[in-house]
Amino acid sequence: MKQLYKFICAAILIAVFIPPQHIKAQCNCPNGDPIDSIVHTQTLAPTADFLNKIIFPKFDPATGTLSCVNISASVTTVASLGIRNLDSSARIYRFRYTQDIILDGPAGIFSSASVNKTYGPATLDKYNTGVDSVFWGPDTTFKNQTLNETAGGSAAFLGATGTVSFDFLNTGSTTLLQGSNNYRASITTFALGTFRLAYYWCPNTILSSGMKNFSVVRNNREVSLKWTTENEKISNKYKIEYSRNGKDFTVLDTRNAMMVGNARYEYQFLPPADEKGRIYFRIRQTNGQGKEYLTAIKTISFTENGTISTTLYPNPAKKTVMVQFDSPQSGSLEVDLINTLGQVMEKNKFTVTKASNLQVNFGRTHNKGAYWLRVQNLQTGEQSVTRLSIE
């Protein structure tokens, strides 16, 4: 049994970590840009609970534009059925057992599977005499059953911090096919599995090489947005946009190009006095031909102790990377190097006081390619995830 359990767990992991290429094909970036992904996995240990919460981190809108979300699971369930005849006469019993597993989440995500199994016939003596009960099982009702669903990039999944929750339900019921209504049934089930949440996202379209140094800085309640341009054209126009969920943006103001050549722009935003939570900002440039470009999204929080908003250099890196914060950080910081499958390759912890930057030295050599560097302040819960290339 122990070896069988190991086999089942291994099969689940293999099934979950194979990238679902057909899902990627349904999530597209504008202008034919390649789509990227961030993957998180959670393992459900064997449990008899009817309802389990499967929890994942949210997608940070500063990373890019969320195109779609895919949740998938590979689940194994085991059930046992006990029947006792309560009738005053011996009876022949036959039952149909139905097992249902359901994955339910935000943005209309719903995936389910159902299986029927027939038990009997079993002849049971009258109540409280001879053999008046029977026990069937344990039987594997689902083996590596796949649940899979894709949804659009809903605001329910967005947030620089916080989590998104899915409900996993495991339930069973019996239908009497033959016998007396005078019986008692007992059902025991347990489930185990691995759950995989993939965020498929598109890079924010980078503005022309003439525009750079876009920054968002908070000074008490006032927020200052700044950017500079080189080789400015007088036909360019700029829209300053903001959002409270990182997806739906509203125009704060519009600016015309100031001059030809080099220019420096600044916009001051004063939110309402009762503003709470997080605000996202971006700049939209429109050139003389009507073509639009977007900056990366910058975010400011009014309830947390300063945003991390990391910048990495050098990028690509080898064994050392400098992490620069938009606002000084104090407390315990956890820095994770994560591969594109969502696996933590290396974990480091630091204690800092008003640190504007941090040097991270990797403990070993990692394969060349794309990774993510996640930095979290364990005191405030503030975190930032930034793409890192290793060469």
Side-chain angles (χ1 to χ4, degrees):
M1 178 63 74
K2 186 174 181 181
Q3 294 301 320
L4 176 61
Y5 177 78
K6 288 182 178 179
F7 171 78
I8 291 173
C9 292
I12 291 172
L13 290 173
I14 291 170
V16 168
F17 282 117
I18 294 175
Q21 298 299 326
H22 66 284
I23 295 299
K24 279 197 172 186
Q26 299 174 15
C27 307
N28 301 313
C29 295
N31 305 320
D33 291 338
I35 200 162
D36 211 332
S37 64
I38 299 176
V39 179
H40 301 283
T41 59
Q42 296 287 358
T43 300
L44 178 67
T47 175
D49 290 344
F50 161 73
L51 172 64
N52 289 273
K53 295 286 186 180
I54 311 299
I55 299 174
F56 296 96
K58 287 188 173 183
F59 177 82
D60 187 352
T63 303
T65 301
L66 184 61
S67 175
C68 69
V69 176
N70 174 253
I71 177 75
S72 60
S74 181
V75 177
T76 294
T77 61
V78 176
S80 301
L81 176 63
I83 300 294
R84 188 174 191 186
N85 180 24
L86 303 181
D87 204 89
S88 59
S89 302
R91 299 292 182 184
I92 298 175
Y93 284 93
R94 193 189 309 262
F95 287 87
R96 180 172 61 245
Y97 174 69
T98 302
Q99 179 94 26
D100 293 288
I101 52 175
I102 299 169
L103 188 58
D104 189 13
I109 284 180
F110 185 89
S111 182
S112 64
S114 182
V115 65
N116 293 310
K117 191 174 181 65
T118 300
Y119 289 101
T123 300
L124 300 182
D125 294 327
K126 69 177 183 179
Y127 175 63
N128 216 24
T129 64
V131 180
D132 65 352
S133 61
V134 64
F135 184 84
W136 291 298
D139 290 330
T140 300
T141 44
F142 287 107
K143 184 175 181 180
N144 298 337
Q145 175 66 41
T146 298
L147 298 175
N148 191 62
E149 188 71 17
T150 300
S154 166
F157 300 103
L158 301 178
T161 59
T163 58
V164 59
S165 176
F166 295 83
D167 289 340
F168 171 67
L169 296 92
N170 174 35
T171 180
S173 62
T174 60
T175 301
L176 177 65
L177 300 178
Q178 182 181 0
S180 167
N181 286 327
N182 296 322
Y183 70 91
R184 180 185 300 123
S186 62
I187 303 172
T188 304
T189 67
F190 74 84
L192 59 96
T194 303
F195 297 78
R196 176 187 188 276
L197 181 67
Y199 293 119
Y200 292 96
W201 59 277
C202 305
N204 295 308
T205 305
I206 302 302
L207 284 164
S208 59
S209 59
M211 180 177 175
K212 57 183 182 179
N213 301 328
F214 174 49
S215 65
V216 177
V217 178
R218 190 186 75 186
N219 184 11
N220 294 322
R221 298 294 301 175
E222 189 174 70
V223 180
S224 176
L225 288 76
K226 298 179 181 180
W227 70 97
T228 59
T229 61
E230 296 174 349
N231 304 315
E232 180 71 287
K233 296 181 179 179
I234 201 67
S235 58
N236 287 343
K237 296 181 183 296
Y238 300 93
K239 291 181 180 179
I240 300 97
E241 300 179 344
Y242 85 108
S243 169
R244 285 185 168 80
N245 61 20
K247 183 176 179 65
D248 305 308
F249 282 82
T250 301
V251 177
L252 285 172
D253 199 3
T254 301
R255 297 286 177 89
N256 293 324
M258 296 173 57
M259 62 185 73
V260 174
N262 300 337
R264 183 185 301 272
Y265 296 87
E266 183 171 355
Y267 177 79
Q268 303 296 328
F269 174 66
L270 186 63
D274 59 350
E275 182 67 60
K276 294 182 180 180
R278 187 176 296 275
I279 302 181
Y280 302 85
F281 297 92
R282 69 185 183 191
I283 306 296
R284 182 187 299 271
Q285 181 197 66
T286 305
N287 64 21
Q289 290 73 46
K291 189 172 183 179
E292 294 184 334
Y293 303 87
L294 292 173
T295 64
I297 297 172
K298 300 285 187 177
T299 181
I300 289 293
S301 172
F302 285 90
T303 55
E304 299 171 34
N305 186 21
T307 57
I308 292 182
S309 300
T310 55
T311 301
L312 308 180
Y313 62 92
N315 192 1
K318 292 184 179 179
K319 293 196 66 173
T320 300
V321 63
M322 292 296 298
V323 183
Q324 181 175 310
F325 308 120
D326 278 4
S327 60
Q329 298 294 311
S330 297
S332 297
L333 300 184
E334 185 173 275
V335 181
D336 299 331
L337 181 69
I338 305 171
N339 66 14
T340 54
L341 292 177
Q343 299 167 310
V344 176
M345 307 302 294
E346 191 164 323
K347 185 184 294 287
N348 292 280
K349 289 188 176 181
F350 303 86
T351 301
V352 297
T353 302
K354 296 183 179 180
S356 297
N357 53 65
L358 182 70
Q359 179 173 310
V360 178
N361 300 312
F362 300 131
R364 61 186 179 88
T365 300
H366 297 279
N367 294 333
K368 295 181 180 179
Y371 294 82
W372 298 94
L373 197 73
R374 179 175 62 200
V375 183
Q376 182 177 12
N377 189 316
L378 300 181
Q379 270 66 51
T380 66
E382 177 76 18
Q383 73 173 14
S384 176
V385 180
T386 308
R387 189 182 179 91
L388 173 66
S389 295
I390 292 183
E391 62 179 9

